Amino acid sequence: MHEGHIISAQELTVLLQPVLTQKSRNLVLFLQDRLSIDDFTYLSESYGDKNPFQNEILQSSPSSLVLPAVDCKATRYLLSFLQESGDWKLTNVTDPNVSHLEVDASKPNLLVVQLQPLGSGLTEISTLEAIAENDKIIGRVTMALQERGIHFSVIYTAVRPSRVSRRTDVIAGLRRQLMAAEEEENSAYPPLNVTTGNDTCILFYARNFSLKANSSVLIDLTNATFITQNVDISASECSNSNTTLSLKYTNPVSGISSLEIRFLMTKKFYEGSARNWSTLDSVEIVQDGEKFAKFNVSVISAPAEYSSHCQLVGTSNLYPARLVPSNDEAKNWDVFISRLQIQGFNIVNNTFSYASDCTGFFSPGIWMGLVTSIILVWILTYGIHMIMQLTTNNRFDDPKGPALSVPQTE
């Protein structure tokens, strides 16, 4: 696979078909919490004799396949896919000694071995030891099957990557490396999408989507919007210049029978940049069909081909992107949205485009660094100027001649 290519779920199913259709349908799935292709070279080369990968299954196998990068969504649902692909006898191997492993070779078997988690706070040495222990477990399981004369296939993968690969589709010298919700390899749920026909016209994602009414009633809409999708989006509208995302909830909390939240976006051509820009102009909240609250939105915009991403959006003055109350009713609401990503125009392949972050170029840390640098440069310049003003005597006393007389005027 060429650099930067990520195997999708559809491609993975095609690549696994030979394993699922062969005569000897015994499959062993070794599942780790995190692993990347770079771990094999980095850990084996950096520690010499302490190479944690001692098994030679890949080299001794009659056929092998290495996939450097697989979409996290594909690996997350790999076990479910394997179970649905055939009449497997599922066995979860929990004993690392596998001394009592029972496999009926007359039936297709799917052995799932949950390897020791590496954890996120381990040092490199601890990670090395954890992977070495997992490698031993792999060796014990495969050796036990080989000793019984059972033919099998092995899949060794992880739920998420341990190293983030660099992006090759964005040139670092031309654009800011902005935070996109692609973590979205780490996202627990997919974004909400609004379709017109077969095309997606709006994509909306948030890690946390909450409201507070009258500073007392907390309404958490995250689960209803993205996980259970207990939300009505039929009133959403899409066009080439204006897009409205309408989210309607029924009885979100006690005391509120209906709640509608609208995100109003526009696309305009700006002569200064000679291109189209999409802007989130306002957010509206309609409670029980009567109470109407409107907020003006600041700094959430992006080129029309991109999506907009903000780490924190809400009514607080501390958030980078603020929702400013536009009427009196809006003052009764507090809004909190974290890791917001929204796109209402030019959606391709039903996925978010490159994200333009709402954070400005100059953060408080950058301003502090600039001011400190200017002060230090000024001190250096003043010091060099003072050194250049130093002069030496142009006449010296000769011990063999008359004493040197220097008038006080000099």
Side-chain angles (χ1 to χ4, degrees):
M1 299 297 175
H2 63 80
E3 183 184 10
H5 180 70
I6 299 177
I7 301 297
S8 64
Q10 184 176 2
E11 291 174 315
L12 184 62
T13 57
V14 174
L15 292 170
L16 292 179
Q17 283 304 316
V19 178
L20 304 176
T21 56
Q22 63 184 355
K23 273 188 178 181
S24 175
R25 295 185 60 192
N26 294 303
L27 183 61
V28 185
L29 175 62
F30 293 103
L31 197 58
Q32 201 164 279
D33 61 337
R34 55 190 180 93
L35 183 71
S36 292
I37 192 70
D38 293 339
D39 292 333
F40 291 90
T41 53
Y42 176 77
L43 295 176
S44 60
E45 293 176 358
S46 299
Y47 296 94
D49 297 336
K50 295 183 179 180
N51 180 9
F53 303 102
Q54 299 292 334
N55 283 317
E56 297 183 356
I57 303 175
L58 197 64
Q59 289 77 9
S60 60
S61 168
S63 63
S64 60
L65 175 66
V66 177
L67 303 177
V70 180
D71 189 357
C72 289
K73 293 180 181 178
T75 56
R76 190 177 299 127
Y77 301 111
L78 177 60
L79 181 57
S80 299
F81 164 73
L82 293 175
Q83 288 178 294
E84 295 171 359
S85 62
D87 186 19
W88 300 94
K89 178 186 177 184
L90 179 62
T91 303
N92 290 303
V93 181
T94 57
D95 186 3
N97 296 322
V98 297
S99 56
H100 304 290
L101 183 62
E102 295 182 1
V103 177
D104 186 0
S106 62
K107 299 179 180 178
N109 295 277
L110 176 59
L111 306 179
V112 180
V113 184
Q114 293 283 350
L115 298 175
Q116 174 182 338
L118 304 186
S120 58
L122 295 177
T123 63
E124 287 188 358
I125 299 297
S126 300
T127 302
L128 186 78
E129 295 173 350
I131 291 182
E133 182 60 30
N134 289 339
D135 188 71
K136 293 178 182 178
I137 296 175
I138 295 174
R140 287 196 292 265
V141 173
T142 54
M143 184 62 67
L145 295 175
Q146 288 175 346
E147 289 176 350
R148 301 180 190 182
I150 299 175
H151 298 280
F152 60 92
S153 299
V154 171
I155 298 177
Y156 181 27
T157 187
V159 178
R160 60 187 177 93
S162 60
R163 302 171 187 271
V164 179
S165 302
R166 61 186 177 89
R167 292 285 300 273
T168 57
D169 58 336
V170 180
I171 302 175
L174 299 179
R175 301 179 183 148
R176 293 180 293 167
Q177 298 300 310
L178 301 174
M179 188 189 312
E182 64 190 0
E183 278 165 85
E184 297 330 57
E185 83 271 349
N186 294 329
S187 297
Y189 41 79
L192 179 71
N193 64 78
V194 178
T195 59
T196 54
N198 295 326
D199 299 325
T200 299
C201 64
I202 304 175
L203 285 173
F204 174 63
Y205 175 86
R207 180 59 61 87
N208 191 326
F209 183 24
S210 304
L211 308 176
K212 183 178 286 188
N214 300 317
S215 301
S216 58
V217 181
L218 179 64
I219 309 172
D220 190 348
L221 302 174
T222 309
N223 186 70
T225 306
F226 303 104
I227 301 176
T228 63
Q229 295 195 356
N230 187 21
V231 56
D232 181 11
I233 57 176
S234 60
S236 300
E237 299 177 354
C238 299
S239 69
N240 291 330
S241 58
N242 295 280
T243 296
T244 300
L245 172 62
S246 173
L247 306 174
K248 294 182 178 180
Y249 306 89
T250 302
N251 297 320
V253 292
S254 177
I256 299 179
S257 59
S258 67
L259 186 67
E260 181 182 7
I261 303 173
R262 307 187 193 120
F263 294 82
L264 285 75
M265 294 170 282
T266 59
K267 183 176 72 172
K268 295 180 181 178
F269 180 81
Y270 290 86
E271 296 181 354
S273 59
R275 69 184 306 171
N276 290 311
W277 285 73
S278 64
T279 307
L280 178 59
D281 296 323
S282 60
V283 175
E284 299 174 352
I285 301 176
V286 182
Q287 177 186 345
D288 299 327
E290 299 176 353
K291 299 180 180 179
F292 175 78
K294 182 177 180 179
F295 301 87
N296 294 325
V297 184
S298 63
V299 306
I300 301 183
S301 61
E305 301 81 11
Y306 294 171
S307 62
S308 298
H309 175 270
C310 283
Q311 188 70 13
L312 291 174
V313 180
T315 51
S316 173
N317 295 329
L318 303 177
Y319 297 160
R322 280 202 63 205
L323 302 183
V324 182
S326 179
N327 58 8
D328 292 336
E329 182 62 29
K331 297 178 182 178
N332 298 326
W333 290 91
D334 293 322
V335 182
F336 172 74
I337 308 175
S338 67
R339 294 193 183 182
L340 167 72
Q341 188 168 9
I342 190 169
Q343 184 173 355
F345 306 96
N346 303 316
I347 297 175
V348 180
N349 296 328
N350 299 329
T351 57
F352 279 117
S353 301
Y354 176 79
S356 177
D357 203 89
C358 63
T359 303
F361 281 100
F362 291 96
S363 63
I366 294 176
W367 279 116
M368 291 176 62
L370 287 175
V371 172
T372 303
S373 299
I374 291 173
I375 294 175
L376 293 176
V377 169
W378 181 83
I379 294 174
L380 178 63
T381 304
Y382 178 77
I384 293 175
H385 176 74
M386 294 301 294
I387 291 175
M388 293 176 64
Q389 300 302 314
L390 295 177
T391 59
T392 59
N393 296 333
N394 55 5
R395 289 182 293 175
F396 298 92
D397 192 9
D398 186 1
K400 296 182 179 180
L404 182 64
S405 176
V406 180
Q408 292 187 1
T409 56
E410 299 184 10

